[in-house]
Amino acid sequence: MSWLPSLKTETPEDGYELAIKLSRMAVKKTQPDDEVRSRLRVDYANNADSLTMASHVVAVNFQTVAAANGYWL
Amino acid sequence: MSWLPSLKTETPEDGYELAIKLSRMAVKKTQPDDEVRSRLRVDYANNADSLTMASHVVAVNFQTVAAANGYWL
Amino acid sequence: MSWLPSLKTETPEDGYELAIKLSRMAVKKTQPDDEVRSRLRVDYANNADSLTMASHVVAVNFQTVAAANGYWL
Amino acid sequence: MSWLPSLKTETPEDGYELAIKLSRMAVKKTQPDDEVRSRLRVDYANNADSLTMASHVVAVNFQTVAAANGYWL
Amino acid sequence: MSWLPSLKTETPEDGYELAIKLSRMAVKKTQPDDEVRSRLRVDYANNADSLTMASHVVAVNFQTVAAANGYWL
Amino acid sequence: MSWLPSLKTETPEDGYELAIKLSRMAVKKTQPDDEVRSRLRVDYANNADSLTMASHVVAVNFQTVAAANGYWL
């Protein structure tokens, strides 16, 4: 089963969750070690700029997902 | 009730507020602890580059919301 | 009166001004204290990278405004 | 005379020059002092990351100008 | 054989892989030395912000690939 | 002869090369001194984040070139 069978989602909220998934997958593919990622998460979850940077990536992916869904109109 | 029932808003100003909401939600989902986020807010609200970075994320999300609303024409 | 009644502007130059307004509004909503923002402005107005970052946000917002205006064609 | 009468240009190269102009104008509007900007230019023109950041802003503005011109097809 | 014969992919997941390939190719063309890139990978694979930055680039390229594929609808 | 006669390319790979050219041209126009740019290249070609930033700019320009070519479909 693919982790990304489709960009279509039922609702905008589901689309936002998919955008988060897309954002994290690129990290996972660069750093596949779960333990390392967990450790790094502590770092960036407590740093304001790191959180803003993460939110930026979600925003870019949400653009893609929203367009794919015709903005759920 | 979903926190994101739709990308449609009545006005551009409401759309801008939604863009801010979208920007903050990604932060909240990475750092769910309200107290930590409040503490971090003090940091970045007093740093020029942090504020610019935050404004950047809002701008990206506003692109999405504006497109979803046909630019409120 | 809304601070953002419409994304439509008469001219490209007015659209650029609106993009600047959109960029600053996100900062204002995160840091509502006028005095703090004035102090921070001194910092980033004298730092090359900060100015480039600010210009980047304007560019993203200008994309939105330009699209909303059909590029003033 | 407006500094931005139109987003239309004769050629792609002219469009690229306009993108540079758009990128610099946001800096100028934040830091209107010519002397300060000249001094800052020395800084960022000798720093690789600063140059990359500047190129990034031009790229975003070039997207806008290129779309406005129907990619000069 | 071209390393980029087409932007079309069978599935969204394949499109995501292509976005990663596009992101890495720009790095490879700037730093062609495999050994140097391997060494640098150790650095950024263990730094949260570096991973977020990498994920950002993938997100931008995924926008392009997704649009090229009509979002696989 | 213009350095940018057109955004059209024969193939996706050629389009990617054009995106690299567009990314470098903005740097060249800010720092015209070939020797300085060569020196700076040593810096950023050995820094992971600098390479990621450079790849980001290529990704943005590739969006433009790909759209101009109708994604080579």
Side-chain angles (χ1 to χ4, degrees), chain E residues 2 22-23 26 29 31 50, chain F residues 13 16-17 45-46 49 55 63:
Chain E
S2 169
L22 286 162
S23 305
K29 283 175 178 285
Q31 177 47 271
S50 299
Chain F
E13 193 176 340
Y16 193 84
E17 291 299 328
N46 289 286
D49 288 348
S55 177
Q63 282 196 334

Side-chain angles (χ1 to χ4, degrees), chain B residues 16-35:
Chain B
Y16 194 85
E17 292 297 328
L18 179 54
I20 292 175
K21 189 180 181 180
L22 286 163
S23 305
R24 290 186 180 161
M25 188 55 73
V27 173
K28 195 172 184 175
K29 283 177 179 285
T30 307
Q31 177 47 272
D33 189 321
D34 288 352
E35 207 187 319

Side-chain angles (χ1 to χ4, degrees), chain A residues 50-61:
Chain A
S50 299
L51 288 166
T52 302
M53 288 167 71
S55 177
H56 199 151
V57 183
V58 173
V60 174
N61 279 314

Side-chain angles (χ1 to χ4, degrees), chain B residues 27-63:
Chain B
V27 173
K28 195 172 184 175
K29 283 177 179 285
T30 307
Q31 177 47 272
D33 189 321
D34 288 352
E35 207 187 319
V36 174
R37 285 205 316 282
S38 295
R39 182 156 42 78
L40 295 176
R41 175 176 283 260
V42 178
D43 289 349
Y44 87 84
N46 289 286
N47 180 285
D49 289 348
S50 299
L51 287 166
T52 302
M53 288 168 69
S55 177
H56 199 152
V57 183
V58 173
V60 174
N61 279 314
F62 187 61
Q63 282 196 332

Side-chain angles (χ1 to χ4, degrees), chain A residues 17-48:
Chain A
E17 291 298 328
L18 179 54
I20 292 175
K21 189 181 181 180
L22 286 162
S23 305
R24 290 186 180 161
M25 188 55 74
V27 173
K28 195 171 183 174
K29 282 176 179 286
T30 308
Q31 178 46 272
D33 188 321
D34 288 352
E35 208 186 318
V36 174
R37 286 206 316 283
S38 294
R39 181 156 43 79
L40 295 176
R41 176 176 282 261
V42 178
D43 290 349
Y44 87 84
N46 289 286
N47 181 285

